[in-house]
Amino acid sequence: MPHTKIRFTAQEALVCAMVLMSAADQQMSDAELGMMSRLVRELPVFDGFQLHEIELVTESCLTLLAAPDGLDRACALLREVLPERLRETAYLLACEVAAADGEATQEELQFLQDFRIGLDLDRLIAGAIERAAKARYQFV
């Protein structure tokens, strides 16, 4: 596969964070894809972003992940494009996708840890984000 230089806008990088999370366990569930679409439609950070663009970003992210150092490359790209406050948003979006289909798998939990490190996020901030996402999806 030829080396392609992938570049993202900030919004595309945030979508990439969700795609990376969804692909962490090797299967992108309907619940995860639905959550990604809902977040893009509803969150102010995606204002002006078109839903059909998710597919293009997904292809680019999966291309990145196919490389031997794919996650490292993806995290470096996200760190380059996103200021710290939006790296926290990227992590939140990943947590929202992880919560979309119930309990997070071991692969998803491992991905979140690697992603936190890759984004250079403070462990306490990441823990608070994880807890908030979990609290949002509790059942009575």
Side-chain angles (χ1 to χ4, degrees):
M1 177 170 72
H3 177 69
T4 316
K5 184 69 174 160
I6 295 174
R7 309 264 329 127
F8 289 130
T9 66
Q11 289 177 321
E12 290 169 341
L14 293 172
V15 171
C16 183
M18 294 188 288
V19 171
L20 293 172
M21 179 73 249
S22 183
D25 60 1
Q26 308 300 315
Q27 54 190 6
M28 296 174 79
S29 74
D30 289 341
E32 291 169 337
L33 295 172
M35 175 65 76
M36 289 168 47
S37 293
R38 184 175 68 76
L39 291 168
V40 167
R41 276 193 318 273
E42 295 176 2
L43 293 180
V45 76
F46 291 113
D47 199 31
F49 189 82
Q50 302 299 313
L51 274 177
H52 66 83
E53 295 177 75
I54 292 174
E55 191 175 325
L56 299 171
V57 175
T58 298
E59 290 173 19
S60 295
C61 289
L62 295 178
T63 298
L64 269 175
L65 278 180
D69 59 346
L71 182 58
D72 290 339
R73 286 181 55 209
C75 287
L77 204 145
L78 270 59
R79 273 195 322 272
E80 180 183 315
V81 172
L82 299 172
E84 187 171 351
R85 68 184 174 79
L86 289 181
R87 282 188 254 146
E88 292 174 3
T89 302
Y91 193 78
L92 169 68
L93 293 170
C95 289
E96 292 276 328
V97 170
D101 53 7
E103 289 297 309
T105 65
Q106 196 57 46
E107 292 96 340
E108 289 172 328
L109 294 173
Q110 182 63 53
F111 167 79
L112 281 174
Q113 180 178 338
D114 295 342
F115 194 50
R116 175 188 64 76
I117 292 167
L119 290 178
D120 195 27
L121 282 183
D122 180 88
R123 183 178 308 204
L124 292 175
I125 290 171
I129 291 169
E130 291 164 16
R131 186 68 195 121
K134 183 176 178 184
R136 284 174 43 102
Y137 295 98
Q138 296 294 321
F139 290 98
V140 176

